[in-house]
Amino acid sequence: MPEKLLEVKHLKKYFNQGKPDMVKAIDDVTFDIYQGETLGLVGESGCGKSTTGRTIIRLYEATGGQVLYRGQDIHKIKSKKALRELNKKMQMIFQDPYASLNPRMKVADIIAEGIDIHGIAKSNTERMARVYELLETVGLNREHANRFPHEFSGGQRQRIGIARALAVNPEFIIADEPISALDVSIQAQVVNLLKRLQKEHGLTYLFIAHDLSMVKYISDRIGVMYFGKLVELAPSDELYKNPIHPYTRSLLSSIPLPDPDAERNRKRIQYDPKSHQYTEEDQLKMREVRPGHFVYCSEKEFYQYRQNIE
């Protein structure tokens, strides 16, 4: 079995804490990511999936809980040197390829930013050789190095963002909705590129998205988030064939079908959160309903789900 690369334990991130308008963006989320796998994180806008990614990589400080990377608690690291070393191992690809690249910097300098910060290249020749190599790795060419971001399409900009993330040889990449701002025709190219890079470099991904069909294609396991809670976690095929939580079933029922007749007759499942009325005695938590298939539920629901499966 692959080793655990990342452990997220009871993670919480609250905004405006202690105020009347406090938002529990992440509320007691727990999951593991194993070396070499892709964990997909899905849910509708505002469910807390992007905040989860940003809190893991410490763009946001956690309100509570732990994020362990190879057993080390990320949010307890104090020294700048240790943080810089961690940032070398963990990188992020951002959602908006237009906003995430500095428009005043040439592509070579954007990609080499991490190389410069971590002192990876010993000379300018070595630095540029690495930039050219990265451009070719992501399907661009060395002539692109002297251009500015505005001279590229959205798909090309995202490739530059991926090259920048790869520049420091990371082990783990958080891809925060990396394809949502791109045309459908370009999305598959970027996802195929990520899959190829994972195979070639042994990368581990947290792939955050709301497009369920694309998440299934790239992910080994999928976690479903709803209003700051992780409500279901299962292997990709298992989640699609046997969704258990009503919210997951609702999400899957909304995926369009390529067959017009089937699409016309398809029944969408509406999720009503009011159908779940819990008390403190219900002790809601993630429970293993099938091997490797976890659902956030009460003990009573757990036995009901198990009964339905049998």
Side-chain angles (χ1 to χ4, degrees), residues 119-133:
I120 293 168
K122 293 179 177 66
S123 65
N124 191 53
T125 307
E126 193 180 319
R127 177 185 188 261
M128 289 310 297
R130 179 72 177 137
V131 168
Y132 295 147
E133 182 193 336

Side-chain angles (χ1 to χ4, degrees), residues 12-40:
K12 295 176 183 175
K13 176 59 187 172
Y14 300 166
F15 293 102
N16 301 329
Q17 198 176 357
K19 296 179 182 176
D21 58 345
M22 182 173 77
V23 175
K24 293 183 177 183
I26 316 171
D27 194 18
D28 198 24
V29 165
T30 297
F31 59 84
D32 301 325
I33 300 180
Y34 294 89
Q35 192 161 352
E37 82 162 337
T38 298
L39 178 72

Side-chain angles (χ1 to χ4, degrees), residues 252-272:
L252 290 173
S253 77
S254 67
I255 299 174
L257 299 170
D259 180 347
D261 292 328
E263 176 66 21
R264 206 174 295 116
N265 299 318
R266 175 167 60 95
K267 287 185 179 174
R268 290 171 179 79
I269 299 167
Q270 294 296 323
Y271 175 59
D272 180 12

Side-chain angles (χ1 to χ4, degrees), residues 181-233:
L182 306 177
D183 291 342
V184 176
S185 57
I186 308 298
Q187 289 181 0
Q189 291 177 23
V190 172
V191 167
N192 285 332
L193 171 63
L194 290 170
K195 287 189 79 159
R196 176 172 65 79
L197 293 172
Q198 182 176 39
K199 206 172 180 181
E200 290 172 1
H201 300 272
L203 295 167
T204 304
Y205 292 139
L206 174 62
F207 189 85
I208 299 165
H210 60 261
D211 182 344
L212 281 149
S213 50
M214 197 58 85
V215 170
K216 180 176 188 264
Y217 176 64
I218 196 171
S219 305
D220 299 295
R221 292 184 301 138
I222 297 173
V224 179
M225 285 194 76
Y226 179 74
F227 273 92
K229 298 277 190 190
L230 190 67
V231 295
E232 193 158 359
L233 178 65

Side-chain angles (χ1 to χ4, degrees), residues 231-233 238 242 244-245 285-298 301-310:
V231 295
E232 193 158 359
L233 178 65
E238 165 72 12
N242 303 303
I244 293 173
H245 195 280
K285 63 178 184 179
M286 292 295 273
R287 301 172 195 267
E288 195 169 11
V289 177
R290 291 163 69 103
H293 193 153
F294 297 84
V295 183
Y296 185 73
C297 59
S298 65
E301 285 172 324
F302 169 71
Y303 288 116
Q304 191 184 324
Y305 294 149
R306 288 291 297 268
Q307 212 171 5
N308 292 345
I309 289 163
E310 287 163 13

Side-chain angles (χ1 to χ4, degrees), residues 131-156:
V131 168
Y132 295 147
E133 182 193 336
L134 285 160
L135 282 167
E136 283 166 11
T137 298
V138 299
L140 297 172
N141 58 58
R142 56 173 56 205
E143 285 74 42
H144 292 133
N146 290 317
R147 296 187 191 173
F148 289 93
H150 72 266
E151 298 177 64
F152 296 90
S153 68
Q156 287 175 318

